[in-house]
């Protein structure tokens, strides 16, 4: 039995749902998702690609497509924060979950997902992401809450320290932000350097960015900031 996206969305305020095929083209959505992304109706969504979304968030179509491919490749659920301007040109923030989609015979046929509007938490979330000394780092786009697939096992504290380290924070500044001692943070940074097999802190930052950690927000960090309930 196919899920009626429209009926489900009407039951839960602010919930948006959609489906895509293996080529990342839309096959269905609820009306709320369609209007938020600039479509006249949910009927006009079917068959459209990510590059045909009639709103400013289309700028990140390449990023969205790569994320769909990751879901298809790993066959696992991935959680994201999407930040950008949609149909009304106002900044919005959505907590989105994307999952592999199967038919009745358990064949992989695409992806599907749902999202909640977290715009009312915008100040806390944007403050967290812009905790940086560099204006060159991105703000808009999609941030993953699912750990990058690199087989490097990090502790929650190491994840937090790496998040701020990438964003230009010193060990002293990071210590204040994560509420740990300076020496403890230095220990975590050294542990990160060894786990990433890097000679210097600069090499660590570069490698972490290449592996996708710049777009990764540790879920425990978001939760500790009170941005949304985990």
């Amino acid at each position: 039995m196919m899920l009626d996206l429209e009926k489900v969305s009407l039951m839960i305020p602010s919930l948006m749902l959609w489906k895509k095929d293996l080529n990342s083209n839309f096959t269905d959505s609820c009306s709320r998702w369609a209007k938020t992304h600039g479509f006249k109706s949910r009927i006009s969504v079917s068959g459209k690609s990510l590059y045909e979304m009639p709103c400013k968030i289309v700028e990140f179509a390449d990023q969205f497509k790569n994320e769909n491919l990751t879901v298809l490749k790993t066959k696992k659920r991935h959680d994201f924060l999407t930040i950008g301007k949609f149909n009304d040109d106002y900044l919005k923030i959505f907590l989105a979950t994307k999952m592999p989609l199967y038919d009745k015979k358990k064949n992989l046929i695409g992806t599907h997902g749902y999202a909640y509007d977290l715009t009312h938490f915008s100040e806390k979330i944007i403050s967290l992401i812009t905790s940086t000394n560099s204006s060159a780092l991105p703000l808009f786009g999609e941030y993953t809450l699912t750990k990058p697939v690199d087989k490097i096992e990090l502790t929650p504290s190491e994840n937090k320290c790496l998040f701020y380290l990438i964003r230009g924070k010193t060990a002293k500044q990071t210590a204040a932000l994560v509420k740990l001692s300076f020496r403890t943070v230095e220990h975590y940074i050294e542990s990160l350097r060894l786990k990433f097999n890097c000679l210097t802190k600069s090499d660590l930052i570069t490698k972490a960015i290449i592996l996708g950690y710049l777009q990764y927000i540790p879920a425990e960090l978001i939760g500790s900031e009170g941005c949304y309930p985990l």
Side-chain angles (χ1 to χ4, degrees), residues 156-198:
S157 293
E158 288 172 340
N159 271 322
K160 293 179 184 180
C161 290
L162 184 59
F163 175 86
Y164 287 112
L165 186 65
I166 289 175
R167 286 162 172 75
K169 293 300 184 183
T170 65
K172 185 176 181 179
Q173 291 170 323
T174 298
L177 288 164
V178 299
K179 298 178 175 60
L180 294 172
S181 71
F182 170 70
R183 287 188 178 182
T184 299
V185 169
E186 281 200 318
H187 168 74
Y188 284 135
I189 292 175
E190 178 63 12
S191 177
L192 286 165
R193 186 183 67 76
L194 294 174
K195 285 186 176 182
F196 279 81
N197 194 26
C198 294

Side-chain angles (χ1 to χ4, degrees), residues 56-72:
K56 288 190 175 181
I57 202 67
V58 72
E59 297 172 12
F60 304 101
D62 284 336
Q63 185 180 356
F64 299 152
K65 186 170 184 177
N66 287 335
E67 287 156 1
N68 287 336
L69 293 174
T70 298
V71 172
L72 291 171

Side-chain angles (χ1 to χ4, degrees), residues 15 33 72 108 114 142 155 161-162 168 174:
L15 179 66
W33 187 96
L72 291 171
L108 183 65
Y114 57 87
E142 198 153 59
T155 67
C161 290
L162 184 59
T174 298

Side-chain angles (χ1 to χ4, degrees), residues 28-29 31 34 40-48:
D28 194 10
S29 80
S31 296
K40 292 183 179 180
S41 68
R42 60 180 298 206
I43 297 174
S44 60
V45 173
S46 183
K48 294 293 193 299

Side-chain angles (χ1 to χ4, degrees), residues 7 12 21 36 38 47 53 100 105 125-126 133 146 155 184 204:
K7 286 184 179 180
I12 306 174
D21 62 22
T36 298
M53 294 185 293
K105 296 182 179 180
I125 294 174
I126 291 173
N133 295 331
T146 304
T155 67
T184 299
L204 166 62

Side-chain angles (χ1 to χ4, degrees), residues 27-136:
T27 58
D28 194 10
S29 80
C30 66
S31 296
R32 187 178 292 126
W33 187 96
K35 291 179 181 178
T36 298
H37 290 74
F39 292 97
K40 292 183 179 180
S41 68
R42 60 180 298 206
I43 297 174
S44 60
V45 173
S46 183
K48 294 293 193 299
S49 74
L50 288 161
Y51 302 93
E52 296 176 286
M53 294 185 293
C55 62
K56 288 190 175 181
I57 202 67
V58 72
E59 297 172 12
F60 304 101
D62 284 336
Q63 185 180 356
F64 299 152
K65 186 170 184 177
N66 287 335
E67 287 156 1
N68 287 336
L69 293 174
T70 298
V71 172
L72 291 171
K73 182 179 179 180
T74 62
K75 297 181 181 179
K76 293 181 179 179
R77 160 184 169 161
H78 288 257
D79 298 316
F80 302 91
L81 279 178
T82 305
I83 303 176
K85 293 184 177 181
F86 291 78
N87 63 320
D88 53 11
D89 208 30
Y90 286 106
L91 177 67
K92 290 184 178 179
I93 300 176
F94 293 101
L95 172 62
T97 294
K98 302 177 182 180
M99 301 167 287
L101 178 63
Y102 299 91
D103 63 15
K104 292 180 179 179
K105 296 182 179 180
K106 297 184 178 181
N107 296 312
L108 183 65
I109 59 172
T111 61
H112 63 142
Y114 57 87
Y116 292 96
D117 190 342
L118 294 186
T119 306
H120 50 297
F121 289 116
S122 60
E123 282 190 29
K124 291 181 179 180
I125 294 174
I126 291 173
S127 175
L128 177 65
I129 294 172
T130 56
S131 297
T132 173
N133 295 331
S134 173
S135 59

